C-alpha cells in the first residue's frame, strides 16, 4: 500500500513511459481519411487505417449521411429503449441480418461497447469464458467484467483450448469461446472450423468478432463467418463493426431472435447509452450496399496484399501468416518500432508504431495496413522504402539506418 501518495505519481509514470519510448501521442489529421492524409501540413500516404475498402471518404456515403440528417436531424435524443430507436435503425438492422444470413441483428454504438455488452450480458459468476490470448481488448475486458472464470488459451492453439474445456467438462454452467475472426494486430485468421467443433463437443457457445474480416473477405464481403458454411448453431454470436471496412461508425451483433432479445433486455452497454444518430444508420445502409456490390474493391485489395507479400519476401523480410490487409512487420523493441515509423514518415508514409500494451512485450511492430484506395505504385514505393531502411524482423537484426 502506498499510503498518502494519492495521485502525485501520475507525472512520474508519464515520464517513465517517455523514457521507454512507450508514450503515445495522437496525430491530428488536417483533412479527411483516405489514401493520402494531411499531417503537419504534409501529405502522407496512409498505410495504417482500417478503412480497408476506401469508403470512409466516399462521396456517395457522405451524401447519404446528409440526406439522413435532413430527414432525422443530428442526435437520436435518447437510448433505444426510451425513444431513440427509429425506422432508420430498424432498416439497417434488417439489412445487416440479411447480410450476415442471421435472423436478427442489433446495433451498438461501437465495437468496444458491443463486445463488453454481449459477454457481460450472457455470463456471470460460475460461468466460463475462454479467450484467445491475442483477442481484441474489448473482448478480453468483456470477459473480465462478466465475473465468469476467465481462461486465456494460447494464440490459435486448439489443443490448449481443448485441455481447458476438458478441465471444466462436468460443470453445468455456461461456457463461451471468444475469438477475433481476423486478429487485429497480427492479421491471421482464427481456426474457425476447429473452434466450432470444439465448442459443439463441449456444449459451449462460440462468439466471433469479425471486425477486420467483414467487407474484406468472402463473397460480397460477408467475412469469415459465411452463412453458407456456418449456421447460428455453429457460431451463435457474430459481431461486426461499421467503422472499419464500412467506413462509418458503430457495430452490431447478429444471431437468433432469442440472443438479440436477451441483449435488448440485459446488455448494459445497449440499454444505458444514447442510440447512434439515425443519419449514421442511413449512411451505413448506403455503405453496406456499396461494400457488398463493389467486388472490384476486394479484388484490387487482394492483388495489393499479394504484391506486398511477394515484395517483402524478395526483401528478405519476415511477415506473419496473414492474407488479410493487416501486414505487420514485427521489430521487437518499442524504440526501434518508433524510429522506423519516423524514418518512414520522412519518406512520406504514415505508419504507426504499435507497442505494448496493445501487443505483447517484445513484439512491437509496424502495423502496415493496405486498403482498396491504394495504388500499385504506393505499395511499390513502400517496399522500396522498407528495403532502404533494411528492416529486419525480430530482435536479432539491428541493422537499419
Ligand atoms: C476495432 C475493433 C473493435 C472495436 O470496434 P470500434 O467500433 O472501433 O469500437 C472490436 N473488435 C475488434 C477485433 C477490433 O479490431
Amino acid at each position: 500500500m502506498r499510503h498518502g501518495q494519492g495521485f502525485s505519481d501520475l507525472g512520474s509514470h508519464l515520464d517513465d513511459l517517455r523514457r521507454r519510448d512507450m508514450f503515445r501521442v495522437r496525430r491530428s489529421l488536417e483533412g479527411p481519411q483516405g489514401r493520402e492524409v494531411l499531417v503537419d501540413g504534409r501529405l502522407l500516404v496512409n498505410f495504417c487505417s482500417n478503412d480497408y475498402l476506401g469508403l470512409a471518404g466516399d462521396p456517395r456515403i457522405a451524401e447519404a449521411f446528409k440526406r439522413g440528417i435532413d430527414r432525422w436531424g443530428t442526435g437520436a435524443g435518447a437510448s433505444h429503449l426510451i425513444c431513440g430507436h427509429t425506422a432508420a435503425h430498424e432498416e439497417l438492422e434488417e439489412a445487416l441480418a440479411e447480410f450476415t444470413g442471421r435472423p436478427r441483428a442489433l446495433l451498438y454504438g461501437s465495437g468496444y461497447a458491443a463486445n463488453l455488452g454481449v459477454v457481460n450480458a450472457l455470463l456471470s459468476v460460475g460461468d466460463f469464458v475462454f479467450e484467445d490470448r491475442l483477442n481484441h481488448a474489448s473482448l478480453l475486458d468483456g470477459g473480465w467484467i462478466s465475473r465468469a472464470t476467465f481462461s486465456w488459451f494460447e494464440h490459435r492453439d486448439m489443443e490448449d483450448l481443448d485441455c481447458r474445456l476438458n478441465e471444466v467438462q462436468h460443470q453445468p454452467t455456461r461456457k463461451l469461446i471468444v475469438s477475433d475472426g481476423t486478429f487485429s494486430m497480427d492479421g491471421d485468421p482464427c481456426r474457425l472450423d476447429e473452434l466450432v467443433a470444439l465448442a459443439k463437443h463441449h456444449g459451449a457457445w462460440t462468439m466471433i468478432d469479425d471486425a477486420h474480416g467483414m467487407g474484406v473477405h468472402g463473397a460480397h464481403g460477408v467475412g469469415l463467418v459465411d452463412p453458407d458454411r456456418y449456421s447460428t448453431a455453429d457460431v451463435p454470436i457474430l459481431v461486426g463493426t461499421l467503422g472499419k471496412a464500412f467506413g462509418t461508425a458503430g457495430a452490431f451483433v447478429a444471431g437468433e431472435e432469442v440472443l438479440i432479445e436477451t441483449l435488448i433486455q440485459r446488455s448494459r452497454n445497449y440499454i444505458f447509452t444514447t442510440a447512434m444518430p439515425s443519419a449514421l444508420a442511413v449512411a451505413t445502409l448506403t455503405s453496406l450496399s456499396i461494400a457488398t456490390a463493389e467486388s472490384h474493391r476486394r479484388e484490387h485489395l487482394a492483388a495489393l496484399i499479394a504484391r506486398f507479400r511477394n515484395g517483402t519476401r524478395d526483401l528478405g523480410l519476415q511477415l506473419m501468416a496473414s492474407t488479410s490487409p493487416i501486414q505487420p512487420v514485427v521489430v521487437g523493441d518499442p524504440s526501434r518500432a518508433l524510429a522506423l515509423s519516423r524514418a518512414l514518415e520522412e519518406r512520406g508514409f504514415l505508419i504507426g508504431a504499435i507497442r505494448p500494451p496493445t501487443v505483447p512485450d517484445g513484439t512491437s511492430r509496424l502495423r502496415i495496413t493496405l486498403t482498396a484506395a491504394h495504388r500499385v505504385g504506393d505499395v511499390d514505393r513502400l517496399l522500396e522504402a522498407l528495403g532502404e531502411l533494411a528492416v529486419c524482423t525480430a530482435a536479432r537484426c539491428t541493422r537499419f539506418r
Side-chain angles (χ1 to χ4, degrees):
M1 293 288 277
R2 294 171 296 177
H3 290 291
Q5 196 164 345
F7 298 98
S8 59
D9 58 351
L10 289 182
S12 61
H13 280 297
L14 292 179
D15 289 341
D16 182 54
L17 289 175
R18 286 191 188 92
R19 232 182 345 264
R20 294 188 292 125
D21 275 336
M22 302 274 272
F23 192 77
R24 318 290 192 95
V25 292
R26 301 167 303 169
R27 306 300 300 271
S28 291
L29 304 194
E30 290 141 19
Q33 188 58 241
R35 171 184 161 259
E36 290 184 309
V37 286
L38 193 59
V39 186
D40 296 333
R42 277 180 76 209
L43 270 180
L44 301 174
V45 182
N46 178 8
F47 275 108
C48 57
S49 85
N50 301 317
D51 181 22
Y52 301 125
L53 296 178
L55 292 178
D58 192 287
R60 295 166 293 177
I61 301 171
E63 195 48 49
F65 215 151
K66 290 176 199 164
R67 255 192 295 113
I69 291 171
D70 289 343
R71 165 94 201 269
W72 297 101
T74 50
S79 66
H80 284 279
L81 289 182
I82 304 298
C83 64
H85 189 69
T86 67
H89 297 126
E90 199 71 29
E91 195 181 347
L92 177 57
E93 286 181 345
E94 281 166 21
L96 289 167
E98 190 180 319
F99 170 64
T100 55
R102 262 93 179 117
R104 292 272 309 263
L106 186 70
L107 289 172
Y108 275 79
S110 73
Y112 193 99
N115 285 336
L116 233 65
V118 171
V119 180
N120 194 33
L122 294 175
L123 301 183
S124 186
V125 176
D127 296 326
F128 295 89
V129 61
F130 301 86
E131 301 228 15
D132 188 291
R133 261 191 188 279
L134 296 189
N135 274 354
H136 190 263
S138 56
L139 294 169
L140 299 173
D141 291 356
W144 294 122
I145 67 162
S146 73
R147 292 176 298 152
T149 301
F150 193 104
S151 187
W152 239 356
F153 60 91
E154 292 301 322
H155 180 49
R156 299 175 84 237
D157 186 339
M158 296 298 104
E159 232 169 273
D160 187 27
L161 174 60
D162 191 28
C163 285
R164 289 162 187 271
L165 284 159
N166 273 325
E167 279 170 16
V168 300
Q169 62 179 326
H170 299 301
Q171 301 279 349
T173 50
R174 293 180 187 170
K175 296 159 195 171
L176 182 65
I177 301 171
V178 181
S179 182
D180 279 26
T182 296
F183 285 87
S184 55
M185 294 298 139
D186 286 30
D188 50 349
C190 72
R191 298 184 195 276
L192 189 52
D193 288 334
E194 289 153 275
L195 276 180
V196 167
L198 274 179
K200 287 186 156 175
H201 179 72
H202 289 277
W205 266 19
T206 301
M207 171 174 176
I208 299 294
D209 171 1
D210 203 21
H212 298 277
M214 268 185 211
V216 174
H217 300 300
H220 311 293
V222 71
L224 198 65
V225 187
D226 183 341
D228 291 340
R229 288 186 62 193
Y230 305 100
S231 68
T232 52
D234 298 323
V235 180
I237 310 169
L238 175 60
V239 177
T241 64
L242 304 171
K244 286 166 182 156
F246 297 114
T248 59
F252 66 96
V253 180
E256 290 289 339
E257 176 85 17
V258 67
L259 170 73
I260 301 304
E261 283 303 328
T262 300
L263 295 176
I264 293 173
Q265 310 309 316
R266 304 213 36 178
S267 179
R268 298 169 65 82
N269 302 53
Y270 183 77
I271 299 167
F272 299 106
T273 194
T274 302
M276 71 160 64
S278 296
L280 180 58
V282 173
T284 305
L285 207 53
T286 297
S287 82
L288 181 63
S289 74
I290 293 172
T292 50
E294 298 189 349
S295 290
H296 63 86
R297 291 174 185 272
R298 272 179 289 283
E299 286 154 20
H300 177 56
L301 180 57
L304 294 178
I305 294 167
R307 192 175 184 93
F308 181 77
R309 288 187 69 82
N310 286 336
T312 43
R313 193 171 332 113
D314 293 346
L315 288 173
L317 294 185
Q318 204 183 320
L319 284 174
M320 296 199 143
S322 161
T323 51
S324 78
I326 304 163
Q327 294 292 333
V329 175
V330 174
V331 296
D333 177 55
S335 308
R336 255 192 103 229
L338 199 62
L340 273 171
S341 165
R342 287 185 180 138
L344 284 162
E345 185 167 332
E346 279 165 26
R347 287 163 170 78
F349 302 101
L350 184 66
I351 303 171
I354 308 288
R355 292 158 281 167
T358 307
V359 292
D361 278 330
T363 70
S364 288
R365 66 196 66 187
L366 297 171
R367 179 179 180 269
I368 295 169
T369 53
L370 303 168
T371 79
H374 288 131
R375 301 170 187 162
V376 168
D378 297 332
V379 171
D380 289 348
R381 284 189 298 116
L382 174 61
L383 287 166
E384 214 171 284
L386 288 171
E388 276 170 31
L389 291 167
V391 184
C392 301
T393 54
R396 67 187 143 69
C397 176
T398 53
R399 182 170 61 97
F400 102 86
R401 29 177 211 274

